[in-house]
Amino acid sequence: MNHLSIEQHSILVVDDEVPIRRILSTRLSMMGYQVFTAADGVEALEVFERQHPDLIVLDVMMPNLDGYGVCQAVRQISRVPIIMLTALSDVRDRITGLEMGADDYMIKPFSPKELESRVRCILRRLDALNPSKYQINGVIEIGSLHIDTNKRQVILGQERIYLTHMEFCLLELLASHPGVVVSRQELLQKVWGYSQESVVDTRTVDVHMSRLRNKLKASSKECEFIHTFRGVGYALQNDQSDDLIDHEAS
C-alpha cells in the first residue's frame, strides 16, 4: 500500500551536473516516483509548467538561470515543495534560499539516502498528532483563524492566506495544540523529518516561522497568533487561550 501511495507523486530534479541528475533520477525512480529532469533553470521552468511535479529538487548554481531565480518564478504561481541543493557554505546563502520560498536545503556533497528520506517525509508526511479539540472533520478553528486540513486552505477573518507547503505544515502542527510551546527540534523532526540525532541549523525553522508570522500579521492587526519563546520554540496562542505550556513537559 505504501508503494502505491508513492507512485502518485512526481519529482523534478534540476541540476547541471549529469552524474547528480542520473543518480537521483535512478534512485528516486527505483523508489516508485515519477522523475523529470532539467539541466538548467530555463529548462526547469519549462518542465515545471508542462508536468506540474509534486516536488522539486533544485540546484542553486546553474547556467542560464540559477536556482534562486527558478524558486522565485515558481513561488509566483505555485506552493510546490522545493528542496535546494547548494555547494555554497555561507549560511547567508542558504537562508537566502529559504527566504525566497524553498522548504529545505542540503549542502553538496550530500547523501542520496538522506535526500530520499527528506523527499519521503515531505510527500508522505503523516500527522502523528491526535486531532485536537479544535479540529472537526479536518477543520481547525481558533478564534478568527480557520484551517482546512483537507483542502489545505487557511482563512483569517474573511481573507484567504496563501502558504507554502512547509508554512502550512508548521501552522497545522501548532494549531493542533494551541497554547502549547513546541521546540524547534520537535518541529524539525515532525515537519522536516529529521531524526533526533541530526545536527541541523535551527534557523531553518526560524526563517519559515518568520514568513508565516508575517503573512498572518498582514491580515490580522488585532491578534498576534504565533509567539516566540527564545531558546525554546514557538506556540500558537488562541484568542481565548489559557496560559502557554511547554510541549515536552506536557
Side-chain angles (χ1 to χ4, degrees):
M1 294 180 65
N2 290 340
H3 182 69
L4 291 176
S5 175
I6 290 177
E7 287 183 332
Q8 298 175 358
H9 296 297
S10 60
I11 299 172
L12 171 58
V13 175
V14 187
D15 201 299
D16 62 330
E17 298 184 52
V18 175
I20 291 181
R21 288 203 310 274
R22 183 182 298 123
I23 291 171
L24 294 184
S25 178
T26 299
R27 294 181 67 111
L28 292 172
S29 295
M30 289 177 64
M31 293 175 65
Y33 297 114
Q34 182 180 14
V35 181
F36 308 107
T37 62
D40 60 52
V42 173
E43 183 183 6
L45 293 179
E46 293 174 351
V47 176
F48 176 77
E49 292 179 2
R50 186 168 63 249
Q51 302 295 347
H52 304 290
D54 299 304
L55 181 144
I56 302 175
V57 178
L58 178 63
D59 186 29
V60 172
M61 304 299 292
M62 295 185 297
N64 299 327
L65 180 66
D66 66 16
Y68 294 143
V70 174
C71 186
Q72 283 184 311
V74 169
R75 279 292 168 261
Q76 292 178 6
I77 58 176
S78 173
R79 290 173 288 160
V80 62
I82 298 175
I83 300 177
M84 277 193 158
L85 306 179
T86 176
L88 302 173
S89 58
D90 195 317
V91 172
R92 291 172 297 181
D93 293 312
R94 301 197 294 272
I95 291 179
T96 295
L98 296 174
E99 290 178 338
M100 288 183 173
D103 297 281
D104 201 358
Y105 65 83
M106 296 190 66
I107 301 174
K108 291 183 175 181
F110 61 90
S111 164
K113 185 170 293 187
E114 183 180 356
L115 176 63
E116 293 164 11
S117 177
R118 297 195 194 184
V119 167
R120 186 185 299 113
C121 177
I122 291 176
L123 292 180
R124 302 173 59 200
R125 173 181 171 268
L126 298 177
D127 187 2
L129 300 174
N130 294 322
S132 75
K133 63 182 180 180
Y134 296 92
Q135 182 169 337
I136 302 175
N137 296 326
V139 175
I140 304 174
E141 291 190 348
I142 300 177
S144 57
L145 187 63
H146 177 101
I147 305 168
D148 190 324
T149 63
N150 296 319
K151 297 180 179 178
R152 299 186 71 79
Q153 293 182 355
V154 177
I155 306 294
L156 182 52
Q158 300 298 318
E159 181 179 352
R160 181 174 175 183
I161 310 298
Y162 292 89
L163 304 179
T164 66
H165 172 82
M166 285 299 184
E167 289 165 358
F168 186 91
C169 291
L170 287 168
L171 180 61
E172 179 184 6
L173 191 153
L174 294 179
S176 295
H177 291 77
V180 174
V181 180
V182 184
S183 71
R184 290 173 174 81
Q185 192 61 38
E186 186 172 0
L187 290 169
L188 285 168
Q189 291 171 23
K190 293 186 175 179
V191 176
W192 278 269
Y194 290 105
S195 66
Q196 290 183 339
E197 296 75 24
S198 297
V199 179
V200 186
D201 187 347
T202 56
R203 278 174 289 190
T204 297
V205 175
D206 297 335
V207 170
H208 283 85
M209 201 65 76
S210 175
R211 295 176 61 214
L212 172 59
R213 176 189 279 117
N214 288 338
K215 289 182 180 181
L216 295 178
K217 273 185 178 180
S219 298
S220 176
K221 310 298 183 183
E222 58 187 36
C223 180
E224 175 81 21
F225 282 95
I226 296 178
H227 295 257
T228 304
F229 292 81
R230 294 189 180 280
V232 183
Y234 296 89
L236 188 144
Q237 180 103 28
N238 181 8
D239 289 345
Q240 302 169 337
S241 63
D242 298 324
D243 292 337
L244 294 168
I245 59 174
D246 190 325
H247 193 193
E248 296 183 343
S250 62

